[in-house]
Each structure stands twice: as structure tokens, then as C-alpha cells.
Amino acid sequence: MKFKYLAAVTLLWPLAAMAQPLEPRVTPVSKPAIKKINPSKIILVGDSTTAVIGGWGPSFCGYHVSSFANCVNLARGGRSSRTYIEEGSWDVALNEMRTPGYSKVWVLIQFGHNDQPGTDRATNLETEFPGYIRQYVREARAAGAVPILVTPLTRRAFEGTKHVNSLAPWAQAVRRIAAEMQAPLIDLNADSARAVQSMGQEAADRFAQLPRGVEPTGRTQPEKKPGEPLPTLVPKLSFDDTHLGREGADYFANMVAGELALAVPDMRPLLVLKQP
């Protein structure tokens, strides 16, 4: 009996399959061809006043550059024009410039803070500093990028009601090299100095990482405990007249973007400016 049942099912199965409705045939719909993107790259090179945690760079990349440009912040805190090269950070930047797939690559270069006398990172203003800045321009061009020189962001220091621009000589050296080598120039030093003088000490203090008098953070980093994953970094934040908190980063990043739109017209379609 069981064999007869199986035989009947076997005979009927093809008929049941034939009775199933056929899937409708999909007719391809004509669609316009997808336009290929034409991406660009912007690389930031410099010290802590450009770097993540302390500089204008994160706000610039995050809020002032369109998604059609890959913005890479390679600035590093505590570096001078000399030590950035000697430690190999400039080699990393050059490799980024040589990466294929981009229609145009720009590199913004800002040094000066750690080139000042006082530490073993310093460079001679008359010989070494100009020599290194020229090297950045030459080697960026050789790598296929467009170097853009940026004068150092001013410190927000005051004597009474007068702003003290201690970085003016380094800014002037950068201006001379930009003119000599016909490189685009963002005069962030002059712009930021005027802005800080105009707003005064109290308003400029808001641009610091922490309010005046607040205890610095990150002096002691957490240690790994047995059986636990590696701890994350605690940022080193403090009140000073050099480094930037979020408000300061946003303010000066918008300043840089505005100057770029004027100095490098090709970049205008990639830049986003804060509307007044």
C-alpha cells in the first residue's frame, strides 16, 4: 500500500509543478548611466594647533569640507618643521599624496609654534626654518600635490588690552617663501591676530580647551588591569593661550576655509563656510 502511495505521488508531482504560476519576466528598465565621482584629497600637516585635540583641523575636516574631498589630518602635537620630517611623519604625508584615485591633492602646511626657541625642537629662524618650509613645498610638488602654506595661528596672549603676536617673525618667513616659490598662502597668523585683538582677552579665553582655573586632564593615563581590555586614551586638556577647544576650533576652521576659498579658487566647490 505504501509503495502504491509513493508511486502515485511521484506521478502527480510533475503535474503539480506544471500547474504552478510562472514568475513574471522582469523587463529591464532603461536608466541613465551613473556618473562617476571625481574625488579630491586635502591633507593637513603641522603641529598641535592643526592636530586632533587642540587644533582647528578636526573642525575643518568635519564641517568645512564636502564629501567629495577626502580630508586627512596628519598634524601632530609638539612637532616643529624639523622634527616632523625627522620622525617620518612627512613620509607618511608624502605617501598619502601619491595614493592614486584622486583628481587633485592639496596639502596645507602650518609650522612655527615649536620652531620658536626654548626646546630641542626649535629651528633657526634665519636658516633652518625657511629651509624646511622650502623642502615641504618642493617635495609636495614632486609627489603630485599642491602645497598651500599657512602662517602659524596666533597665540591668544595679551599684555593689558594689547594682543601679543609672538609668532609674527615666523609668519613673515612663511609669507616670504610663499611669494618666492609662488605657493598659495593662507595668512592665518594675521587673520587670527586681528580677530583676537578685536574680541579682547575675555572672549579669546573661550577658545581654550578648558576654562581658566580648571584642573588639566590627562596628566595620568589609565593603566591596563589584569583581565581587562586596554584602556582608551584620556585627552590632555588644559587652559592656555595656544591650544583650541571646540569653540576655538570651529571659529578658526571657518576662517581657514574662508581664506582657502579666496586663495585657491579650484577648492571653492569643496568648501563649506558657516553662514553669518
Side-chain angles (χ1 to χ4, degrees), residues 4-107:
K4 290 181 179 179
Y5 173 77
L6 290 173
V9 169
T10 303
L11 291 171
L12 291 173
W13 180 258
L15 296 175
M18 292 175 63
Q20 294 297 318
L22 297 175
E23 290 290 331
R25 178 174 292 179
V26 177
T27 303
V29 178
S30 178
K31 295 181 180 180
I34 300 298
K35 183 180 178 180
K36 293 289 186 180
I37 64 170
N38 187 30
S40 301
K41 182 185 282 188
I42 302 171
I43 302 169
L44 307 184
V45 165
D47 54 36
S48 59
T49 59
T50 303
V52 173
I53 307 174
W56 53 265
S59 180
F60 176 81
C61 286
Y63 300 102
H64 295 282
V65 176
S66 104
S67 61
F68 288 94
N70 179 14
C71 191
V72 183
N73 190 350
L74 297 179
R76 301 191 69 195
R79 273 60 180 179
S80 68
S81 62
R82 173 177 58 83
T83 60
Y84 191 88
I85 292 173
E86 291 178 346
E87 73 180 7
S89 288
W90 180 236
D91 290 330
V92 174
L94 288 171
N95 287 335
E96 282 287 343
M97 295 175 221
R98 299 186 187 106
T99 302
Y102 296 94
S103 61
K104 202 150 192 179
V105 178
W106 294 276
V107 54

Side-chain angles (χ1 to χ4, degrees), residues 209-229:
Q209 293 174 318
L210 295 176
R212 187 184 292 272
V214 172
E215 187 70 18
T217 67
R219 287 178 173 174
T220 303
Q221 295 296 321
E223 296 181 359
K224 184 182 183 310
K225 297 179 181 179
E228 293 186 0

